[in-house]
Amino acid sequence: MTDQKTAITPTRAQDFPEWYQQVIRAADLAENSDVRGCMVIKPWGYGIWEQMQRGLDKMFKETGHKNAYFPLFIPLSYLAKEAEHVSGFAKECAVVTHHRLEVDSEGKLRPAPSAELTEPLVVRPTSETIIGATYAKWVQSYRDLPILINQWANVVRWEMRPRLFLRTAEFLWQEGHTAHETEAEAVEETEKMLDVYATFAREFLAVPVFTGEKTEAERFPGAVKTLCIEAMVQDRKAIQAGTSHFLGQNFAKASNIVFQSREGKQELAWTTSWGVSTRLVGTVIMAHADDDGMIVPPRIAPTHVVILPISPKPETREAVFAAAEKLAEELRGVTFHGAPVEVEVDKRDIGGGTKNWEWIKKGAPVRIELGPRDLEKGTVAVARRDQSPKEKQFLPVADVVAQIAATLQAIQDNLYARALTLRDANLCDIDTKEAFYEYFTPKNSGKPEIHGGFARSHWCGSRECEAQIKEDLKVTIRCIPFDAAAEDGQCVFCGNASKRRVIFAKSY
Ligand SMILES: [Zn+2]
């Protein structure tokens, strides 16, 4: 392999969207299914999702939540109860209209006309309405509050332009739904869960995020306030990686979640909802993968260390395999963030080079090669996925075991540092309309794959300015960041007075 050759073609610089598809294929993460817009998540991709679930689930429970499960189907009339909500989701709803099939006179299978449902069922695009209807039955008194529940589930939002992990018709997610006695408690919950997401993104995904509030135009349909975390990926676009909604009393009113207050009055509850999805897998790919394939941050890696026994001659094979298994056992005895280091010994009978490259493309954090000569010397060759494929360190076995947790953490920290460096290098304050339009026109950078970056600019608060910028440049306000200082300025579009900067970017 020459210096210029990469395992993935095209490279990120040549064609970022196609590179993304090729990484998913090379790393064996997922594939398109026969059902348009729906993906098959393969074991390596699903393993990453499971690690994400594990990390998040623990954080949800530590913040007082419990898991439950609600129906896949929502009666049409439930969805209709909240006007903004239904208009926001109507265009992407899958609807069940029949409950039986029959063979017609021409021998073809069809939904039986006699089995038409009196009320169609919508496959959940999100569960506020069905969960709200349930909470209405559970809540009578202020003593029944708060309700703090999370659901791990799949949802369906019909998708015309699907892209693996980032936008699929069916996707996996979690949705938290809480009900509270007071507005202040519900607002606090909304902020707390956004904080959980931001911490998770930084510590597990090694992805820095901005936290802030969405503008009215970008808000969840039916919410009073939508908070979000926004990440930058390697083509400088933004990905909304998680949202937390303060729903006010809108859904309580629609679902009739009424309780008797401490003063003996009938009052409406205050509710929230919050979610992240398999979109996070896409975010991690776009944030960390390189021209040789996937790079999985150790904290979400299904396998931390892969051991590759090299035994070209049959007479040494058994000894090499035995040494590999022994090393695997020793490594499994080490803990990384409270759980055993996950180790796989790849004994498949295929060429060592091919095998090594497979794991590079899959992005396993650490690869260890072990051959007959290493056995004699008592050393092994250790390679880190965040370094060049050619870089190897020859270490005594005991050192590898002693250092593995620190090595994994070093990889995790390095990935975060890289992502932060990229983001900070592509974050700027822009104060004139001319500079703003110039920044977001890719041909100006001489690199068609670069989409500007994150611009912190003043905005007057008008929906018209926001809409015109979106139409002209496909640039949206990603969030009104929490950490934005009060600062007098002029709207980058119309020049009217503005009190603070917001973050503009192109997005997925
Ligand atoms: Zn304006």
Side-chain angles (χ1 to χ4, degrees):
M1 214 165 252
T2 67
D3 283 309
Q4 276 72 37
K5 213 164 169 195
T6 56
I8 306 296
T9 44
T11 62
R12 286 165 290 179
Q14 287 164 341
D15 183 345
F16 194 83
E18 182 58 23
W19 162 85
Y20 174 74
Q21 302 293 335
Q22 292 306 323
V23 169
I24 291 173
R25 182 205 295 255
D28 213 22
L29 294 164
E31 62 189 34
N32 289 308
S33 75
D34 291 347
V35 185
R36 198 177 172 277
C38 295
M39 64 178 162
V40 175
I41 307 177
K42 300 183 81 175
W44 187 245
Y46 198 77
I48 292 171
W49 176 241
E50 282 181 318
Q51 294 306 315
M52 290 181 179
Q53 282 186 303
R54 208 160 291 174
L56 281 166
D57 202 66
K58 187 160 176 276
M59 295 172 90
F60 296 158
K61 286 171 182 162
E62 284 166 356
T63 44
H65 304 85
K66 287 191 162 63
N67 288 332
Y69 189 78
F70 297 86
L72 170 67
F73 303 121
I74 300 176
L76 198 60
S77 59
Y78 282 32
L79 214 60
K81 283 178 195 167
E82 218 294 331
E84 268 187 45
H85 188 64
V86 70
S87 70
F89 285 103
K91 286 181 196 151
E92 45 193 38
C93 281
V95 187
V96 179
T97 53
H98 292 75
H99 64 84
R100 193 172 64 241
L101 296 172
E102 66 176 23
V103 178
D104 68 12
S105 56
E106 283 158 24
K108 282 189 181 144
L109 201 56
R110 62 168 188 187
S114 61
E116 192 172 339
L117 297 174
T118 47
E119 178 175 9
L121 296 171
V122 175
V123 181
R124 63 180 164 218
T126 177
S127 303
E128 278 74 9
T129 56
I130 185 83
I131 292 180
T134 313
Y135 285 2
K137 292 182 212 155
W138 292 356
V139 175
Q140 267 92 45
S141 143
Y142 70 89
R143 292 182 196 87
D144 301 324
L145 297 169
I147 300 179
L148 306 172
I149 282 180
N150 174 62
Q151 153 167 278
W152 289 100
N154 58 341
V155 286
V156 169
R157 296 178 188 176
W158 214 256
E159 189 52 68
M160 303 315 285
R161 290 167 47 244
R163 193 195 294 255
L164 289 169
F165 290 116
L166 290 180
R167 260 200 321 267
T168 49
E170 180 193 11
F171 56 88
L172 306 182
W173 79 344
Q174 60 70 216
E175 47 182 323
H177 293 272
T178 68
H180 305 263
E181 192 183 342
T182 66
E183 178 176 17
E185 271 179 48
V187 169
E188 190 193 335
E189 166 80 7
T190 311
E191 290 167 356
K192 183 197 290 176
M193 298 323 288
L194 189 79
D195 218 42
V196 164
Y197 290 154
T199 303
F200 177 77
R202 291 173 190 136
E203 293 183 4
F204 285 76
L205 312 182
V207 171
V209 289
F210 279 109
T211 55
E213 185 178 344
K214 286 284 181 197
T215 63
E216 193 187 343
E218 302 282 326
R219 206 177 275 162
F220 178 75
V224 173
K225 214 184 232 199
T226 288
L227 311 182
C228 61
I229 54 170
E230 295 283 329
M232 181 190 285
V233 291
Q234 293 179 75
D235 63 349
R236 287 34 159 194
K237 283 194 190 177
I239 295 188
Q240 175 183 301
T243 47
S244 183
H245 316 292
F246 169 58
L247 304 173
Q249 294 176 309
N250 294 347
F251 285 85
K253 195 180 282 171
S255 304
N256 202 33
I257 311 176
V258 177
F259 67 98
Q260 189 170 48
S261 72
R262 290 166 199 268
E263 290 78 36
K265 283 188 280 184
Q266 290 295 104
E267 283 184 18
L268 286 169
W270 299 84
T271 66
T272 82
S273 66
W274 29 273
V276 296
S277 70
T278 34
R279 166 169 259 243
L280 289 180
V281 180
T283 307
V284 168
I285 299 166
M286 286 197 167
H288 297 307
D290 65 11
D291 295 336
D292 288 323
M294 183 56 173
I295 300 181
V296 187
R299 292 200 68 180
I300 53 164
T303 300
H304 297 114
V305 180
V306 57
I307 300 177
L308 306 163
I310 299 162
S311 54
K313 292 175 192 158
E315 56 269 29
T316 56
R317 190 159 299 156
E318 244 170 74
V320 170
F321 280 2
E325 287 295 353
K326 182 164 174 284
L327 174 57
E329 270 317 301
E330 285 172 17
L331 288 168
R332 288 179 189 125
V334 178
T335 55
F336 178 60
H337 288 280
V341 170
E342 293 291 336
V343 188
E344 186 169 334
V345 182
D346 188 348
K347 293 182 186 169
R348 288 175 305 156
D349 189 17
I350 54 174
T354 308
K355 211 189 266 187
N356 189 32
W357 274 101
E358 257 187 40
W359 285 103
I360 291 171
K361 287 186 279 189
K362 287 170 96 77
V366 173
R367 305 182 308 281
I368 298 178
E369 287 178 338
L370 197 163
R373 257 180 299 164
D374 300 311
L375 276 190
E376 286 163 25
K377 284 188 272 178
T379 61
V380 289
V382 181
R384 285 168 51 158
R385 184 58 184 89
D386 63 330
Q387 296 171 346
S388 149
K390 287 176 187 164
E391 232 169 283
K392 280 182 201 173
Q393 246 193 314
F394 293 88
L395 293 172
V397 172
D399 290 4
V400 175
V401 177
Q403 291 168 13
I404 191 63
T407 302
L408 292 171
Q409 191 59 45
I411 296 170
Q412 183 80 28
D413 294 344
N414 186 28
L415 293 178
Y416 183 82
R418 273 192 207 172
L420 189 62
T421 301
L422 178 94
R423 190 190 75 179
D424 288 350
N426 293 280
L427 176 67
C428 56
D429 292 355
I430 296 180
D431 291 322
T432 69
K433 188 175 174 182
E434 197 188 358
F436 188 90
Y437 274 65
E438 170 102 10
Y439 184 68
F440 284 114
T441 305
K443 66 176 166 51
N444 295 336
S445 69
K447 294 177 184 171
E449 80 283 5
I450 302 296
H451 297 268
F454 284 10
R456 277 187 301 215
S457 298
H458 277 281
W459 171 57
C460 62
S462 114
R463 267 185 106 133
E464 285 71 38
C465 291
E466 190 182 9
Q468 197 57 53
I469 289 171
K470 186 175 180 179
E471 193 181 313
D472 291 350
L473 297 167
K474 296 200 182 88
V475 168
T476 49
I477 298 174
R478 303 316 304 159
C479 70
I480 304 161
F482 292 144
D483 63 4
E487 177 193 304
D488 285 326
Q490 294 174 312
C491 175
V492 77
F493 189 79
C494 72
N496 286 346
S498 151
K499 291 283 175 206
R500 60 187 155 8
R501 292 174 186 275
V502 298
I503 296 176
F504 285 94
K506 293 188 183 180
S507 71
Y508 282 98

